[in-house]
Amino acid sequence: GDSVTQMEGPVTLSEEAFLTINCTYTATGYPSLFWYVQYPGEGLQLLLKATKADDKGSNKGFEATYRKETTSFHLEKGSVQVSDSAVYFCALKYGTASKLTFGTGTRLQVTL
Amino acid sequence: KAGVTQTPRYLIKTRGQQVTLSCSPISGHRSVSWYQQTPGQGLQFLFEYFSETQRNKGNFPGRFSGRQFSNSRSEMNVSTLELGDSALYLCASSIAGQGHLTGELFFGEGSRLTVL
């Protein structure tokens, strides 16, 4: 079956550091890929998405590229802020379906 | 535009009881899906409803059920509660199936259920 694997957290960075959170997937078809973010006490917010190979999703300084050859969708940001502290989830789904398959989440802690 | 609204936000039940959670989707969204979030199992898909019909179901026992009303509002019910049902239950709405390819999901803040 389909699955998503994320790097173990927590990831602790100083403000303005470069961020990479690794995400790889196993899929039987050609899914769309997503990054969601969850701030403390809140639900999930869509951060960015990519619907096909080589697409790059970007939002709020975060980027991720859909790499079919390495089955990866790594999240990057050039300079993190304290306000980026949250849990980040990588996920996939197919077409118009609403079933998302999530990774286990990676907690990011950014300090001054 | 109002987001996805879930009620109640917090609730405490005891083993053997049942619980009903409510979700109001974003206006115009006809797809509502439910997820369970626990520290051990992470985020797991429960089921999806579209136009009052269950369209997809995850791997959960029959104690977990749901329904959708004509105004797209949805409820999920868990009967005979167990300690392991303690979780954050998230509802998401989408325009999926209404002619949009990716149908991104918009999540509510969740209902946190504690079973004692």
Side-chain angles (χ1 to χ4, degrees):
Chain A
D2 301 331
S3 64
V4 176
T5 302
Q6 289 182 236
M7 60 188 291
E8 290 280 332
V11 173
T12 303
L13 295 173
S14 299
E15 201 171 45
E16 299 184 2
F18 184 85
L19 168 71
T20 300
I21 299 178
N22 290 338
C23 170
T24 56
Y25 67 91
T26 302
T28 52
Y30 302 97
S32 297
L33 301 174
F34 303 82
W35 277 101
Y36 280 85
V37 58
Q38 187 174 36
Y39 297 100
E42 298 185 13
L44 299 171
Q45 297 176 28
L46 178 65
L47 184 59
L48 53 83
K49 66 183 180 186
T51 58
K52 61 183 187 300
D54 300 325
D55 270 2
K56 178 186 280 189
S58 61
N59 185 29
K60 300 181 182 178
F62 291 90
E63 292 183 341
T65 301
Y66 189 164
R67 300 284 188 204
K68 185 163 172 280
E69 62 276 11
T70 54
T71 61
S72 64
F73 193 55
H74 304 322
L75 182 68
E76 296 181 335
K77 187 176 186 184
S79 176
V80 293
Q81 306 300 312
V82 171
S83 57
D84 294 326
S85 298
V87 181
Y88 293 81
F89 293 91
C90 185
L92 65 81
K93 80 177 189 75
Y94 291 96
T96 59
S98 287
K99 180 183 175 183
L100 279 161
T101 298
F102 285 94
T104 52
T106 301
R107 182 175 299 278
L108 170 65
Q109 181 71 44
V110 181
T111 59
L112 290 171
Chain B
K1 193 173 185 181
V4 178
T5 304
Q6 291 188 245
T7 56
R9 289 291 313 278
Y10 302 91
L11 64 167
I12 299 173
K13 294 285 187 178
T14 56
R15 280 181 297 175
Q17 287 187 310
Q18 73 164 11
V19 66
T20 299
L21 308 177
S22 179
C23 173
S24 293
I26 292 171
S27 177
H29 287 192
R30 300 214 310 259
S31 168
V32 174
S33 50
W34 289 88
Y35 289 80
Q36 182 195 64
Q37 185 177 23
T38 60
Q41 299 298 316
L43 280 153
Q44 294 186 286
F45 173 78
L46 279 156
F47 30 63
E48 179 202 0
Y49 286 87
F50 180 82
S51 293
E52 302 178 66
T53 300
Q54 188 178 87
R55 190 158 72 167
N56 204 347
K57 188 177 188 308
N59 190 24
F60 278 81
R63 300 186 297 108
F64 292 81
S65 63
R67 59 177 176 168
Q68 187 179 34
F69 302 96
S70 58
N71 62 358
S72 294
R73 190 177 70 84
S74 177
E75 289 181 346
M76 69 162 282
N77 184 76
V78 188
S79 62
T80 319
L81 284 166
E82 300 177 0
L83 295 178
D85 297 333
S86 294
L88 180 66
Y89 290 88
L90 292 166
C91 168
S93 78
S94 169
I95 52 175
Q98 295 169 241
H100 293 262
L101 258 184
T102 55
E104 66 182 80
L105 273 65
F106 296 86
F107 284 84
E109 294 187 318
S111 293
R112 184 166 295 281
L113 170 65
T114 301
V115 181
L116 302 176

